[in-house]
Amino acid sequence: MDGGLLELVARGDSQAVARCVDRYGGLVYALARRFLRNAAEAEDAVQEIFIALWQLAGRFDPGLSSEPAFVTMIARRRLIDRQRRLARRRETAGDAPEALDRASPHPGSHHAVDVADEARRATAAIAQLPSQEQHVIRLAVLEGWSHARIAEELNLPLGTVKTQVRRALLRVRSALGAAPLVPEVAS
Amino acid sequence: MTPLRLPEEERILDLLAAQATEGLGPAELHELNTWLAAHPEFDAAGLERAAAALHLGLLDVSLPERLPDPLRSAILRAAPPESPAATLRIHSAPIPMIYRLGWLAAAACLVLAVAGWWRAAQSFAPTAPPSLADRFVQFTINYPDAVRATLAGNTPELGVLRGEVIWSDKAQAGFVKLAGLPANTPARDQYQLWIVDPQRDEKPVDGGVFDVPSAAGDLIVPIHAKLAVRQPKAFAITREKPGGVVVTAGPILALAPVGS
């Protein structure tokens, strides 16, 4: 994998920009289609995500995460925002949740993104959790379900879901070898 | 720094975890920002990075999807010609609220109120760094069909503002040339650009924050749209907290309706 691609993008290297689209376009597209139920929304979101990526490329710190994880983080922010907006519009309009409307996938010959060691460590971290907690964090992270929806579908208290999500993410963060998130707490 | 108590710590972690998974509403986001401002020692994006790494691990990327060609082309067309890391800090918080169309009506009233102050054919002696001036000139050459709009403002606080906006839908970028904007103290507040695009959404699109150095005189500011813009109807400037905001309460300091 190219090293420092985002750094080149941040410098305005147009060839790096094109390489970035080719390298991460499939990943971003897959993330968007998974989060959003409408193909047109997903495509709109992908454009939005790359515009954000051009603007934030200079903030990538290889000491904190891999490039794919950074791209995924930027994508998730935009997708979560969009999901919340769409949910509010549906509530306002009194619409039922949209039925799944996914266009046919576009399997391609583009090379797979190197998932990188951190992703493997992250999944290994939650594999040690009880199965219900694994289910909760998968729904929250992979499917983008709200905590309220998870609680309703799994018949769990909302507070339990929030605690489990928090605990799982802290576990993942610890497994990635990051410094403690929380400073020393007063007794 | 006041040490955190356990309930406070848990509250911050709950908010960070929610932000990393389901997002936060305006009140919760404000609460989190308040906590983080008081406790900058927190790694504010730590749980977002954890969620991203986990998502990457859970998503089956061994069978990648291919970006449809039209979408790929659209993304590349929207790539800015300049380095996106230059000059501006971009606020990256979620977008929680919906603007009402009355926002546009209020902006239109301001335009009418200041129309008598605008004198056409003002010349600008650029005092911005040469690189920005060169980029502006090159931009006008590269995108001859870019839209231009006259920027005007007159507020009791800031007095008369005048300027020009140039924007290219193809480049998804542009510039603002302006004069009369007082210097700001970046630690206290920053100016923020907005792109009004009703076809896209009721909410204006964040065009980035910028600072006006002391004795700046005339200024050239690149516009970096945070979202794809389809058909801008106006450009506006407000003054916000450092880093900018997702939703502005105004007031509008200057407005540039497209076609003016």
Side-chain angles (χ1 to χ4, degrees):
Chain A
M1 175 190 289
D2 288 344
L5 184 57
L6 289 180
E7 182 182 347
L8 295 173
V9 169
R11 291 180 191 172
D13 183 329
S14 59
Q15 290 186 345
V17 166
R19 288 201 338 254
C20 188
V21 174
D22 289 336
R23 178 169 296 280
Y24 298 118
L27 168 62
V28 172
Y29 192 46
L31 292 168
R33 282 163 36 80
R34 189 98 189 208
F35 254 63
L36 301 171
R37 296 170 178 270
N38 179 283
E41 280 283 348
E43 293 198 3
D44 203 24
V46 171
Q47 292 192 60
E48 179 182 327
I49 289 163
F50 273 99
I51 287 178
L53 193 55
W54 309 147
Q55 295 170 342
L56 297 172
R59 294 192 185 178
F60 169 63
D61 183 346
L64 293 177
S65 71
S66 66
E67 274 196 3
F70 181 82
V71 171
T72 302
M73 183 178 75
I74 300 301
R76 283 179 52 81
R77 284 178 179 173
R78 295 297 178 272
L79 291 171
I80 288 169
D81 292 347
R82 187 173 278 260
Q83 216 174 33
R84 290 177 65 88
R85 283 206 305 277
L86 290 171
R88 277 197 304 276
R89 285 181 192 167
R90 285 198 294 271
E91 284 174 16
T92 302
D95 293 341
E98 289 184 41
L100 200 58
D101 167 28
R102 290 180 177 169
S104 301
H106 298 261
S109 58
H110 289 232
H111 54 269
V113 170
D114 181 359
V115 169
D117 178 61
E118 69 177 339
R120 284 185 281 271
R121 280 188 282 155
T123 50
I126 67 160
Q128 300 169 23
L129 291 172
S131 59
Q132 183 206 79
E133 293 190 34
Q134 291 186 48
H135 194 188
V136 166
I137 194 62
R138 286 181 69 97
L139 290 174
V141 170
L142 185 60
E143 303 297 337
W145 284 22
S146 69
H147 298 177
R149 183 181 175 191
I150 296 171
E152 182 181 343
E153 295 288 337
L154 300 187
N155 198 26
L156 292 171
L158 179 59
T160 299
V161 170
K162 289 186 179 297
T163 298
Q164 292 183 359
V165 168
R166 181 186 76 209
R167 201 155 58 202
L169 290 179
L170 285 171
R171 190 185 189 97
V172 167
R173 192 170 182 282
S174 176
L176 298 180
L181 182 70
V182 183
E184 184 175 336
V185 177
S187 56
Chain B
M1 179 183 70
T2 306
L4 278 169
R5 300 178 190 282
L6 189 59
E8 295 169 341
E9 170 197 334
E10 290 189 348
R11 178 57 180 163
I12 295 174
L13 292 177
D14 273 345
L15 290 170
L16 288 173
Q19 184 179 52
T21 50
E22 62 175 357
L24 296 174
E28 289 182 320
L29 181 61
H30 176 75
E31 181 188 352
L32 176 61
N33 288 338
T34 301
W35 280 119
L36 294 177
H39 296 279
E41 69 278 11
F42 264 81
D43 179 4
L47 294 192
E48 283 187 292
R49 286 198 300 274
L54 182 58
H55 196 160
L56 207 52
L58 293 173
L59 193 69
D60 183 4
V61 293
S62 62
L63 295 172
E65 292 198 40
R66 178 184 172 187
L67 207 58
D69 287 337
L71 181 55
R72 179 184 182 277
S73 299
I75 292 169
L76 289 175
R77 280 197 303 273
E82 304 87 17
S83 164
T87 309
L88 297 180
R89 292 169 48 203
I90 307 295
H91 186 60
S92 60
I95 304 174
M97 295 183 64
I98 296 177
Y99 268 73
R100 307 296 177 191
L101 287 176
W103 195 94
L104 283 177
C109 288
L110 177 61
V111 172
L112 292 173
V114 303
W117 291 92
W118 173 246
R119 295 292 180 264
Q122 295 288 330
S123 64
F124 293 91
T127 57
S131 62
L132 273 174
D134 290 341
R135 284 160 55 190
F136 178 87
V137 171
Q138 193 60 46
F139 186 87
T140 62
I141 296 171
N142 292 344
Y143 303 102
D145 58 346
V147 297
R148 291 179 182 254
T150 301
L151 182 72
N154 185 16
T155 63
E157 180 186 7
L158 302 180
V160 175
L161 305 174
R162 63 188 190 281
E164 177 188 17
V165 175
I166 181 169
W167 171 266
S168 166
D169 287 336
K170 182 179 177 184
Q172 287 292 298
F175 289 87
V176 175
K177 291 176 73 174
L178 53 89
L181 206 57
N184 64 303
T185 303
R188 191 178 64 215
D189 53 53
Q190 291 188 286
Y191 294 105
Q192 188 162 1
L193 292 164
W194 302 94
I195 307 162
V196 180
D197 182 3
Q199 270 202 5
R200 191 197 183 283
D201 206 333
E202 302 99 323
K203 316 183 290 297
V205 174
D206 178 3
V209 294
F210 66 97
D211 299 311
V212 177
S214 58
D218 299 322
L219 197 65
I220 296 176
V221 181
I223 303 173
H224 286 298
K226 189 177 174 188
L227 302 172
V229 175
R230 292 175 187 163
Q231 193 169 9
K233 291 299 183 188
F235 300 84
I237 296 175
T238 61
R239 188 152 67 180
E240 310 292 351
K241 66 179 183 180
V245 295
V246 174
V247 174
T248 182
I252 301 168
L253 303 178
L255 187 72
V258 172
S260 61

